[in-house]
Amino acid sequence: MTLPILYSLRNCPYAMRARLAIYKSKLPVELRDIVLKNKPAEMLAASPKGTVPVLVLDSNINGCEVIDESLNIMLWVLGKRDPLNLLRAAALSTQLGKIDIEPPAKLVDMLSLIDLFDHEFKTCLEAYKCAKRYHETNLEDCRQACEVYIQNLEQRLSEHAYLLDNDESLADLALLPFIRQFARIERQWYLQSPYPNVKRWLNQYLQSPMFTKVMAKYPLWSPEQTVVTFGDI
């Protein structure tokens, strides 16, 4: 059987969340770890934009189907196999024996939250990272801009164990890599910050066997390398 091929970069938050979804789905893929300064020709042929993650669904067919946006990869793999109901597909309503074509409300809520963080929070996060790296004078202002979104999560997590409710969802996996980045910018400040529920939620993930496996280091891919299978664990 030809497996889908995932081009990935270990510490890229977008690639990280794709691997998280694949791990949770238990859908096996061929993992190809790369570095961006030496992008494989095979990856560029599949996705000329040259960013990770890239999921090639069938490399044996001319004009093969390629998914090169992390959230779309998450949705695709969980759409194929979602044993933990991370997409809340069980919430689909049925009428007269027909499945409602509208997405369940919980999935709409998840995608809305993810969009907020992918666009607004990510912009603030990049400014915060730059302020810290280049010792800029607006570091505190940049941090406070991020905190508006962290406070959103803190409120959610004060009401239930995960971001949407008391069960893990797509939103938790999609936001995790970026909240991890936030926590690492000013580590001492973060450890003393007034966000106990966010810290609990993040620590639960960072200390989990899942995170260890998702962040495992593999040799950089080359055409001669033995196939590395990831996901069906």
Side-chain angles (χ1 to χ4, degrees):
M1 181 182 68
T2 302
L3 296 177
I5 297 169
L6 180 73
Y7 290 96
S8 181
L9 179 65
R10 181 170 173 267
N11 281 311
C12 168
Y14 294 103
M16 194 184 303
R17 71 184 189 179
R19 296 196 307 274
L20 286 164
I22 291 167
Y23 179 92
K24 289 289 188 176
S25 75
K26 299 189 180 296
L27 188 73
V29 301
E30 177 183 340
L31 180 66
R32 295 183 176 180
D33 259 4
I34 68 155
V35 290
L36 293 180
K37 64 182 180 182
N38 187 21
K39 300 170 187 175
E42 292 86 349
M43 186 188 94
L44 292 173
S47 177
K49 73 177 190 175
T51 59
V52 291
V54 175
L55 186 66
V56 182
L57 299 185
D58 192 340
S59 58
N60 294 324
I61 300 175
N62 291 332
C64 58
E65 186 177 355
V66 174
I67 308 175
D68 57 9
E69 295 289 345
S70 62
L71 181 57
N72 289 339
I73 292 174
M74 299 179 83
L75 291 168
W76 187 85
V77 298
L78 292 171
K80 290 291 183 182
R81 187 184 296 177
D82 188 9
L84 300 177
N85 197 23
L86 299 176
L87 296 182
R88 300 297 189 267
L92 284 169
S93 62
T94 57
Q95 292 182 348
L96 302 177
K98 295 182 179 180
I99 296 177
D100 188 348
I101 61 172
E102 293 296 324
K106 281 289 179 71
L107 179 56
V108 173
D109 290 345
M110 281 185 250
L111 294 176
S112 176
L113 181 63
I114 293 167
D115 184 72
L116 178 70
F117 275 75
D118 276 6
H119 295 93
E120 295 184 18
F121 176 73
K122 187 64 168 61
T123 299
C124 296
L125 181 64
E126 289 302 313
Y128 183 29
K129 287 163 61 178
C130 287
K132 173 65 174 178
R133 175 181 294 179
Y134 299 111
H135 308 287
E136 296 174 357
T137 58
N138 64 339
L139 177 65
E140 186 174 350
D141 290 340
C142 291
R143 184 209 308 138
Q144 289 175 352
C146 291
E147 285 186 83
V148 172
Y149 302 92
I150 300 300
Q151 288 162 6
N152 179 330
L153 302 188
E154 180 68 17
Q155 177 59 41
R156 289 170 177 271
L157 292 167
S158 71
E159 297 170 0
H160 28 67
Y162 292 94
L163 297 182
L164 266 291
D165 50 37
N166 280 321
D167 295 306
E168 184 180 43
S169 75
L170 171 71
D172 296 280
L173 301 184
L175 269 58
L176 169 60
F178 301 101
I179 306 308
R180 175 178 177 261
Q181 282 192 338
F182 172 81
R184 290 159 65 97
I185 295 172
E186 291 183 282
R187 183 66 179 162
Q188 288 307 311
W189 175 87
Y190 171 77
L191 290 174
Q192 298 173 19
S193 67
Y195 304 115
N197 294 302
V198 170
K199 287 185 277 191
R200 169 191 54 78
W201 172 86
L202 181 60
N203 285 341
Q204 172 182 290
Y205 277 116
L206 299 185
Q207 296 171 8
S208 68
M210 174 199 71
F211 195 77
T212 299
K213 291 178 180 178
V214 165
M215 293 301 292
K217 191 172 184 178
Y218 296 95
L220 295 181
W221 179 78
S222 69
E224 299 79 25
Q225 178 183 305
T226 303
V227 170
V228 174
T229 303
F230 178 83
D232 190 16
I233 301 171

